[in-house]
């Protein structure tokens, strides 16, 4: 028990408090709103909020107690994301062996991040897997359609594994847990802020062909709110005030970029959601789309500033 | 005893393998509790199909549900047929009719099972096709339903299992799979061909949904 309390320091406790206050506020808001205006259709929002409670709890269980659990959880997240991507992409039956390599790369990559091998983690996928995957396809020998497979499969690995594995890298540096909480919270809140500002003020569409619901007002309001939030949560990181403002601002932008990249992929495939894993949110990939781009950006900014 | 064994297998061990491999989602599985006896009519792409369907069967019914399997494939040796029947509760039938030998007549074997009150899982395509492509349904099940018009059938569409473990593949690769059950249906049509055609369209509708 003592050991457990030692693990959970005061910063982490205040973070957990903030997280649950936000969730409680949202739940209370929808409850009161639903009572005052029974005609308003809040079912979708309520389902989403419920899923947020579950996801937050799972996230805390995976990160607060032991870093070993965290790495296993991140690997599982990558696994589910990869499975979702490979399911929706229309690949050939001849690509199965290359897909198997993708799945096998997950434990290897997380082993490198767990050991804190920074360079190995950074080059394993973009250098070694980028050679191994096309070569595996060549060995199968079916050249019809091979260009598409050679391009799509490594890119899939970048999204599902490389980006997310930076969560593990983040944990491997001193003060990593605080940074991890900071990052995941601001990125997910960035999504929420963009949604809320968009609903409140949204008029001018930002990318009408990709995401008809996204507006300039939502984007700008979201990024500014996230920057303020990042400033308020500075205590979780070892950075200075000016650093944290730059980092939060850029990370919020990266989150938006990840979101619209996955959106455009879905649009091309004529899908609304990548799967039905999370009630109210869609697939796992729909939830972590902003993370896959924001995590590496955040990690390398922090690394640049603090080293 | 048999019930306990099958339940441990299909509620414990099989989901443990099936979950990471397929993340299988069942839609409208409540229909399985609505009728006492039923015939599940599903498309067939992979051995995973039977595992996924058996895992969805309610606990107390599992012994009474028999996946109909090709005797000329799973029953070539005594050992093979023993294993198949033990682990999948299968009803082995020969695919090529030898109507003269009554004990080997596939219709008789299936109708006997229905008379005993057992439910069946039938893949009217006859064999595993390419992933997510449906072959034409064979007429056999139509003849049987015309004789037992009071038994309901459940059109079922299974998606992506053919990608996880296609015919001829040895190593399974994870994909998200989906099993969509339709409403209870009763035999419609004057002859076997019509019954089967209706069935085919019902399964196709689930694919589109």
């Amino acid at each position: 028990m003592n050991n457990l309390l030692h693990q959970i320091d005061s910063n982490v406790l205040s973070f957990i408090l903030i997280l649950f206050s936000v969730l409680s506020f949202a739940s209370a808001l929808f409850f009161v709103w639903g009572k005052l205006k029974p005609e308003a259709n809040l079912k979708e929002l309520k389902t989403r909020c419920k899923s947020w409670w579950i996801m937050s709890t799972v996230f805390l269980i995976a990160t607060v107690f032991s870093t070993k659990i965290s790495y296993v959880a991140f690997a599982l997240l990558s696994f589910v994301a990869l499975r979702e991507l490979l399911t929706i992409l229309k690949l050939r039956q001849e690509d199965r062996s290359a897909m198997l390599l993708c799945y096998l790369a997950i434990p290897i990559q997380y082993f490198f991040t767990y050991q804190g091998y920074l360079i190995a983690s950074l080059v394993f996928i973009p250098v070694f897997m980028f050679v191994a995957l096309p070569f595996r396809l060549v060995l199968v020998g079916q050249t019809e359609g091979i260009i598409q497979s050679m391009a799509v499969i490594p890119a899939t690995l970048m999204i599902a594994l490389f980006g997310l594995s930076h969560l593990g890298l983040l944990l491997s540096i001193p003060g990593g847990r605080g940074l991890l909480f900071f990052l995941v919270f601001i990125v997910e809140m960035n999504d929420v802020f963009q949604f809320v500002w968009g609903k409140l003020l949204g008029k001018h569409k930002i990318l009408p062909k990709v995401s008809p619901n996204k507006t300039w007002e939502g984007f700008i309001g979201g990024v500014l709110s996230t920057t303020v939030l990042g400033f308020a949560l500075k205590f979780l990181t070892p950075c200075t005030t000016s650093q944290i403002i730059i980092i939060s601002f850029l990370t919020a932008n990266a989150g938006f970029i990840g979101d619209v990249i996955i959106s455009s992929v879905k649009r091309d495939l004529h899908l609304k959601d990548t799967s039905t894993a999370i009630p109210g949110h869609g697939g796992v990939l729909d939830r972590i789309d902003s993370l896959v781009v924001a995590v590496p950006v955040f990690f390398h900014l922090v690394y640049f500033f603090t080293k | 005893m048999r019930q306990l064994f099958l339940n441990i297998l299909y509620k414990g061990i099989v989901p443990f393998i099936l979950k990471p491999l397929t993340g299988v989602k069942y839609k409208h599985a409540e229909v399985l509790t609505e009728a006492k006896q039923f015939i599940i009519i599903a498309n067939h792409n992979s051995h995973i199909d039977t595992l996924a369907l058996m895992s969805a069967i309610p606990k107390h019914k599992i012994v009474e549900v028999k996946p109909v399997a090709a005797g000329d494939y799973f029953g070539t040796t005594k050992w093979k047929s023993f294993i198949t029947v033990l682990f999948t509760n299968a009803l082995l039938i020969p695919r090529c009719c030898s109507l003269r030998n009554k004990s080997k007549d596939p219709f008789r074997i299936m109708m006997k099972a229905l008379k005993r009150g057992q439910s069946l899982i039938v893949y009217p395509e006859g064999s595993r096709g390419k992933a997510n492509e449906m072959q034409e349904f064979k007429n056999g099940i139509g003849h049987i339903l015309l004789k037992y018009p009071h038994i309901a059938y459940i059109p079922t569409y299974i998606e992506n299992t053919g990608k996880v473990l296609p015919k001829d593949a040895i190593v399974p690769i994870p994909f998200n799979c989906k099993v969509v059950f339709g409403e209870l249906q009763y035999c419609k049509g004057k002859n076997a061909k019509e019954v089967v055609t209706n069935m085919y369209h019902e399964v196709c509708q689930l694919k589109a949904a």
Side-chain angles (χ1 to χ4, degrees):
Chain A
M1 196 63 200
N2 248 336
N3 194 19
L4 200 76
L5 285 178
H6 183 73
Q7 290 270 315
I8 308 171
D9 58 40
S10 62
N11 283 349
V12 172
L13 269 182
S14 13
F15 169 75
I16 295 173
L17 217 64
I18 294 169
L19 176 61
F20 282 123
S21 323
V22 171
L23 286 171
S24 310
F25 172 73
S27 292
L29 179 72
F30 294 141
F31 181 76
V32 174
W33 191 356
K35 284 275 172 254
L36 292 179
K37 277 189 175 179
E39 73 276 9
N41 191 7
L42 297 177
K43 210 173 159 223
E44 164 98 8
L45 284 174
K46 278 182 180 164
T47 328
R48 266 195 213 195
C49 191
K50 212 170 148 192
S51 292
W52 274 124
W53 274 99
I54 296 167
M55 285 188 284
S56 307
T57 313
V58 171
F59 174 72
L60 285 179
I61 291 170
T63 48
V64 168
F65 298 114
S66 131
T67 47
K68 277 194 186 121
I69 299 177
S70 315
Y71 284 93
V72 174
F74 297 154
L76 282 176
L77 189 63
S78 280
F79 172 76
V80 175
L82 184 62
R83 194 175 65 187
E84 228 170 66
L85 263 174
L86 291 179
T87 303
I88 59 170
L89 292 166
K90 292 180 181 72
L91 293 161
R92 308 171 304 165
Q93 195 173 343
E94 289 84 5
D95 300 333
R96 287 171 55 83
S97 48
M99 293 178 193
L100 185 64
L101 280 188
C102 290
Y103 283 112
L104 294 178
I106 296 175
I108 301 174
Q109 172 75 1
Y110 279 99
F111 173 74
F112 289 151
T113 61
Y114 177 68
Q115 294 291 338
Y117 299 154
L118 180 63
I119 299 202
S121 320
L122 294 181
V123 300
F124 172 59
I125 292 166
V127 176
F128 292 95
M129 286 309 285
F130 270 48
V131 174
L133 289 171
F135 185 53
R136 189 71 192 84
L137 292 172
V138 170
L139 286 180
V140 174
Q142 172 61 268
T143 48
E144 206 180 304
I146 203 170
I147 298 177
Q148 203 210 349
S149 299
M150 276 182 174
V152 168
I153 297 174
T156 306
L157 207 54
M158 285 302 270
I159 292 174
L161 183 52
F162 184 76
L164 285 179
S165 70
H166 281 72
L167 290 170
L169 273 182
L170 209 55
L171 262 190
S172 72
I173 60 178
R177 187 181 285 151
L179 285 166
L180 179 74
F181 286 161
F182 178 86
L183 166 67
V184 174
F185 191 63
I186 65 162
V187 171
E188 295 304 330
M189 282 308 283
N190 184 45
D191 285 359
V192 175
F193 285 142
Q194 303 217 354
F195 177 79
V196 172
W197 284 114
K199 283 274 167 208
L200 289 179
L201 306 172
K203 276 206 181 77
H204 304 87
K205 296 205 183 318
I206 184 164
L207 289 162
K209 280 186 180 163
V210 177
S211 303
N213 292 330
K214 291 213 160 48
T215 56
W216 275 105
E217 291 80 358
F219 169 65
I220 294 169
V223 169
L224 292 181
S225 313
T226 305
T227 311
V228 173
L229 179 70
F231 172 70
L233 292 176
K234 189 173 97 65
F235 69 93
L236 286 168
T237 70
C239 304
T240 65
T241 305
S242 55
Q243 285 170 354
I244 212 69
I245 287 174
I246 297 170
I247 290 175
S248 306
F249 179 78
L250 291 176
T251 308
N253 279 285
F256 174 80
I257 292 169
D259 193 344
V260 293
I261 287 175
I262 300 293
S263 290
S264 65
V265 170
K266 284 188 290 189
R267 202 135 283 257
D268 190 14
L269 294 167
H270 305 290
L271 293 171
K272 196 183 159 283
D273 295 322
T274 51
S275 81
T276 51
I278 314 172
H281 295 258
V284 173
L285 210 62
D286 292 311
R287 192 59 276 136
I288 60 170
D289 49 6
S290 31
L291 273 179
V292 295
V293 173
V295 178
V297 168
F298 177 83
F299 174 81
H300 290 290
L301 286 172
V302 171
Y303 196 78
F304 173 75
F305 281 130
T306 55
K307 277 284 142 82
Chain B
M1 200 44 204
R2 182 91 183 115
Q3 179 159 6
L4 183 70
F5 172 74
L6 285 174
N7 273 323
I8 291 174
L9 193 63
Y10 284 103
K11 304 292 162 193
I13 300 166
V14 169
F16 191 74
I17 307 163
L18 218 54
K19 201 74 204 170
L21 224 44
T22 66
V24 61
K25 290 257 172 217
Y26 297 103
K27 277 198 183 161
H28 196 241
E30 316 80 88
V31 73
L32 295 171
T33 58
E34 282 168 17
K36 212 173 158 216
Q37 191 179 11
F38 49 76
I39 301 175
I40 294 178
I41 303 289
N43 61 323
H44 195 30
N45 296 316
S46 166
H47 293 318
I48 308 266
D49 294 343
T50 306
L51 302 182
L53 286 175
M54 285 300 277
S55 305
I57 307 290
K59 269 188 224 145
H60 56 281
K61 277 189 186 163
I62 200 156
V63 190
E64 295 299 314
V65 178
K66 298 254 171 194
V68 177
D72 51 285
Y73 183 87
F74 290 102
T76 43
T77 61
K78 272 200 170 153
W79 176 240
K80 218 173 162 184
S81 67
F82 172 74
I83 292 286
T84 310
V85 173
L86 177 70
F87 286 110
T88 65
N89 208 21
L91 189 69
L92 294 176
I93 57 160
R95 271 186 292 197
C96 45
C97 309
S98 56
L99 290 171
R100 262 169 255 154
N101 186 344
K102 282 194 172 170
S103 68
K104 278 194 178 165
D105 177 4
F107 291 103
R108 275 183 73 95
I109 300 174
M110 285 162 78
M111 287 195 277
K112 249 184 169 174
L114 287 177
K115 258 185 220 156
R116 282 196 296 264
Q118 290 172 329
S119 299
L120 301 178
I121 296 176
V122 178
Y123 305 114
E125 284 168 283
S127 68
R128 289 166 293 159
K130 278 190 184 165
N132 302 344
E133 278 175 32
M134 267 165 68
Q135 302 160 275
E136 226 175 274
F137 281 6
K138 301 238 180 345
N139 286 339
I141 189 64
H143 289 295
I144 289 177
L145 273 170
L146 282 171
K147 287 208 173 129
Y148 293 88
H150 60 282
I151 295 181
Y153 67 91
I154 305 170
T156 305
Y157 181 69
I158 308 173
E159 192 180 72
N160 281 345
T161 48
K163 288 184 174 176
V164 177
L165 189 69
K167 212 172 179 171
D168 306 326
I170 304 161
V171 185
I173 309 269
F175 283 95
N176 283 335
C177 298
K178 203 164 69 178
V179 178
V180 190
F181 294 101
E183 300 291 342
L184 288 178
Q185 303 283 349
Y186 291 90
C187 174
K188 290 180 290 289
K190 287 188 203 83
N191 54 42
K193 182 89 203 143
E194 274 179 40
V195 175
V196 172
T197 313
N198 284 331
M199 236 175 227
Y200 185 85
H201 290 307
E202 280 153 7
V203 176
C204 279
Q205 273 176 8
L206 297 172
K207 181 180 182 177

